[in-house]
Amino acid sequence: MRRLILSLLAGVVAMPAAAQTVVVSDAPEATSITLYRDPNRGGDQAINRSWLNGFALVTETRTITIPAGTAVIRFEGVSSGILSESAIVTGLPSDVSEKNLDADLLSPRSLYDRSLGRRVTIRRTDALGQVREEQAVIRSGADGAAVLETADGFEALRCSGLNETIVYDAVPSGLSARPTLSIETTSPVARTVTVQLSYLAGGFDWQADYVVTMQGDGTARMFGWITLASTDATSYPDAQAQVVAGRTNRTSNYARQIGAGGPLSLQCWPEVSYDELDRAVYGGYPPPPAPPAPPAPTMMARADAIVVTGSRIARQEDLGDLKLYRVPQPTTVAAKAQKQVALMDKTGVQLRPVYVSELYGAQIQSMQLQLRGENKVSSGLGLALPAGPVALFEDTRIRPILIGEASLDDVPVGEDVELRLAAGPSVVATLDVAESKEGEARLRLSVTNANPWPVEYEAVLSRAGAERIDRASSRLAREDGETLWRVRVPANGSATLNYRSRQPR
């Protein structure tokens, strides 16, 4: 009886497993991609293309034919930064019982790494074009030299002086030419269905860039770009693209990228000459310094050279407390690239220049030029402005001239718009101490305007009650806990304020 049971068990173990049906979906018919900004990057910080900490919501529409029973469906061409745990598939006849992410992409490096300990063929071509092949076993990883074992011993590939390459007899299991997500599902009958695959993916970011050109009539033209950036290995051709403005709450910025990928870089053991050895031991001439890094690119696009029709400008929509901007035409978000689409184009924007100084006791900070406006339709705007850098031009008789760069925070509709720039030497403020004793001082603030036109000037005399300001020679204002002196300085003229400053007790 015991032998019979063992024989039956052996028979069960030896029974071949039923072949599992595999359905391959090689590409989606339609794709929608929504980009979210890096929540830790400020509006004055440029996108770091080598390290993108934003993310995207990708929705793909695919048509597949599934058989009756249990089947594995392979979705090829998904994002290489996919968070597989976030993947949702709708439109299947039954629920998904299992999800798997094929995490290694096929590349010369991964093919070599996954063949460690396997038998391969070394193909050598000499100077006469004669080809010779030899069996070998890979004995090292892909970092440094490629060490192989042949019948004659160990050697490093491409160190013999001949043209050498590795020929593989098969692709190791688990390697895929494209990022692939596979799921297991069961259907009572065979059918063709249209499904939607949605998932989150890392390695994306976006930002707004603005070009503001001050016109001769005192208004400005404000043109905005949406810059889409991707470090993903997958391209999304003719996708419906959207971006979301506002700070999203994320518990983690971690998003893995599938596969090491990349080329196979090999090196030989160095052959050191006596001169090189002498310099290494006894010193020698130091190596030349590395060339300086190229300067960071600056957004210098001129608004007057840009013509974009209204039908190609992103449309704004509400998304809860956030704002969604939908690109109206199909857009290709290419792999490891960035591109720009039009965000806005507004003329007649009212931006009022104000020169501002901040005072701390008897100290005065450097002058700042602020361009102030309101995000209202009556002021030429009236749409939510995402954060981003601003290039400011002055429209002269010949051509627009760059006069400064600033940044813009997220500005909702109805809020104030404020661009801060370093002021030129034409408006100067000085602070003199007329009398000083313990705890108080008599001060004189003077501002001069060398421009042939009047300017508005504002001095912040005290912040949040840090000092008590009284006995002022002109009327002062109180706003948001600050004591302010506002004055219109005439062309080629000056203005003076006398006041007393007392330290709180």
Side-chain angles (χ1 to χ4, degrees), residues 268-280:
C268 296
W269 292 289
E271 297 180 3
V272 182
S273 66
Y274 285 107
D275 291 339
E276 291 172 330
L277 182 62
D278 182 72
R279 285 195 298 269

Side-chain angles (χ1 to χ4, degrees), residues 109 112-113 140-146 264-267:
R109 181 182 179 87
Y112 179 90
D113 254 344
S140 72
D143 292 327
L264 179 62
S265 299
L266 302 177
Q267 59 188 14

Side-chain angles (χ1 to χ4, degrees), residues 221-298:
R221 179 188 177 187
M222 192 169 185
F223 190 93
W225 290 108
I226 292 176
T227 301
L228 311 174
S230 168
T231 55
D232 200 85
T234 301
S235 293
Y236 303 91
D238 297 327
Q240 175 59 62
Q242 300 84 219
V243 297
V244 174
R247 188 176 296 274
T248 55
N249 183 24
R250 295 182 64 191
T251 57
S252 173
N253 288 335
Y254 174 72
R256 57 186 176 275
Q257 292 286 321
I258 295 179
L264 179 62
S265 299
L266 302 177
Q267 59 188 14
C268 296
W269 292 289
E271 297 180 3
V272 182
S273 66
Y274 285 107
D275 291 339
E276 291 172 330
L277 182 62
D278 182 72
R279 285 195 298 269
V281 175
Y282 298 104
Y285 298 105
T298 304

Side-chain angles (χ1 to χ4, degrees), residues 319-392:
L319 186 65
D321 292 335
L322 306 175
K323 295 295 180 182
L324 182 141
Y325 296 86
R326 190 183 303 275
V327 180
Q329 69 276 0
T331 300
T332 296
V333 181
K336 300 183 184 301
Q338 75 174 30
K339 70 180 305 179
Q340 291 181 307
V341 295
L343 168 65
M344 58 170 290
D345 187 7
K346 294 287 186 179
T347 58
V349 178
Q350 299 175 19
L351 292 176
R352 179 170 51 93
V354 180
Y355 291 85
V356 179
S357 295
E358 295 187 3
L359 286 73
Y360 297 89
Q363 304 271 335
I364 185 170
Q365 304 299 311
S366 58
M367 184 78 72
Q368 190 179 75
L369 174 60
Q370 296 183 5
L371 299 179
R372 297 177 178 176
E374 293 180 306
N375 194 0
K376 298 179 179 179
V377 175
S378 58
S379 299
L381 289 173
L383 74 163
L385 301 176
V390 180
L392 186 67

Side-chain angles (χ1 to χ4, degrees), residues 124-132 161-163:
R124 295 184 173 97
T125 305
D126 61 20
L128 300 178
Q130 296 179 346
V131 178
R132 181 170 59 90
L162 301 177
N163 185 0

